[in-house]
Amino acid sequence: MIATNDAALIADRAFEADREGWLHPAQQALIHERGWLRMLAPRAAGGLEMALPDVVRLEESIARVDGSMGWTVTLCAGAGWFAGFLAPRLAREILATPDVCLAGSGAPTGVAEREGEGWRITGLWDYASGAPMATHFTFNAVLREHGAALLDAAGQPRIQAFVVPAALVEMVPRWRSIGLRATASHAYRVSGQWVHAEHGFAIDPSKAVEQGPLYRFPFMAFAFVTLAANVAGMAHHFVDLAEECIAHRRNRFSGQDEPLIEVPAVRALLDATRASLDAVRARFYARLDATWAQVAAGAPVSEDEAAQMQALAMAWVNASRRAVDALFPYCGLYAMREDAPINRVWRDFHTASQHALLVPHASTGQIATQPL
């Protein structure tokens, strides 16, 4: 859980950060002082290598204070996790960077042309949360040689992940979302830059360089649980603020001019909403703790077990959607004020929940598995 004084600092600067479209300098300083962007990186490279359930609970608790702060920490710390899949020398070099921050995108919207002992990279990627403070960027690119795509065993274009220093990257400032404004999730471009082959890596437990349990945890399950905790954290924050709004409203159409929160149906809705969120949250963490213990003991996670973890993450996200949508109509016009905390949380929640991993597939209703 986040410390009380840290939560207060984040909350105090949240409005200003949202207005300015980037985390306040005090928030950025706190992120680096606490080492939050190193918490998933291997100890051997200079990271903290924290247990995943502890990281997820921390990320949830930050998101319950401010969505933009939680989202930025989660996405950039998640990119730091990739250090466990890099050549040890390169990982140490990256983690030794002052105020290191990795940002990036999983979309394969670039190409890497083989050239000598490395690759010449060109591409444009959207949505790199934390881009203004990134010291390095990660991305996926389609591999080519002599202008033709290299193919995998199934005859499909090969896609590889890369990490490059920010000096090779041009930020394209076009983040215009209504929510998560302070994540500054801008696009970025690489224009014909060459990098050594060691800057490429595979996100696969079987190819991890570090052998701690963090790097043997299935990637898709890892992505789902960290994102879901953020969305749910924002939803829990919204419910708290919604109850405050409802407590200050009057039910003037009942003939009794009673406090809205004392209307039995409204009180029951609030209680049921909290109970539903708490119940799925408990199931989520019970599964996460058990899966982590399994990996920490050296056992692999089967595809079915990973799917169960992802399904519980989506159950928490869906319960969060229901909670926010059910309570918002009772919050009044105050909740529509752009400077109201509940409005910011509502905007952040609906922006975060549009992440590609968290949107049900349009044709099948199943959870999507493509990266953003």
Side-chain angles (χ1 to χ4, degrees), residues 32-33 35 37-38 41 45-47 83 86 89-102 133-137 163-167 199:
H32 293 304
E33 288 169 9
L37 303 188
R38 299 172 181 267
L86 298 175
R89 185 205 61 78
L90 179 60
R92 289 192 299 271
E93 176 184 302
I94 291 173
L95 269 294
T97 305
D99 292 339
V100 64
C101 173
L102 284 78
M133 69 177 180
T135 59
H136 298 77
F137 284 83
V163 58
V164 301
H199 286 262

Side-chain angles (χ1 to χ4, degrees), residues 92-137:
R92 289 192 299 271
E93 176 184 302
I94 291 173
L95 269 294
T97 305
D99 292 339
V100 64
C101 173
L102 284 78
S105 167
T109 53
V111 295
E113 182 80 22
R114 191 190 298 278
E115 184 176 312
E117 296 183 351
W119 304 91
R120 191 163 295 278
I121 297 169
T122 298
L124 175 67
W125 294 266
D126 280 322
Y127 312 131
S129 297
M133 69 177 180
T135 59
H136 298 77
F137 284 83

Side-chain angles (χ1 to χ4, degrees), residues 38-44 47-50 80-85 203-219 292 295:
R38 299 172 181 267
M39 60 186 174
L40 290 166
R43 279 188 293 272
L48 302 181
E49 201 169 335
M50 290 171 55
W81 179 70
F82 297 151
F85 301 85
I203 309 169
D204 183 338
S206 68
K207 298 180 180 178
V209 175
E210 299 293 335
Q211 295 305 306
L214 264 179
Y215 314 106
R216 290 185 280 107
F217 201 91
F219 171 64
W292 175 256
V295 176

Side-chain angles (χ1 to χ4, degrees), residues 251-276:
N251 181 27
R252 302 186 187 281
F253 300 99
S254 66
Q256 300 180 14
D257 192 22
E258 60 187 334
L260 185 59
I261 200 168
E262 293 181 8
V263 175
V266 176
R267 181 74 261 176
L269 177 62
L270 272 166
D271 292 344
T273 297
R274 288 193 183 279
S276 175

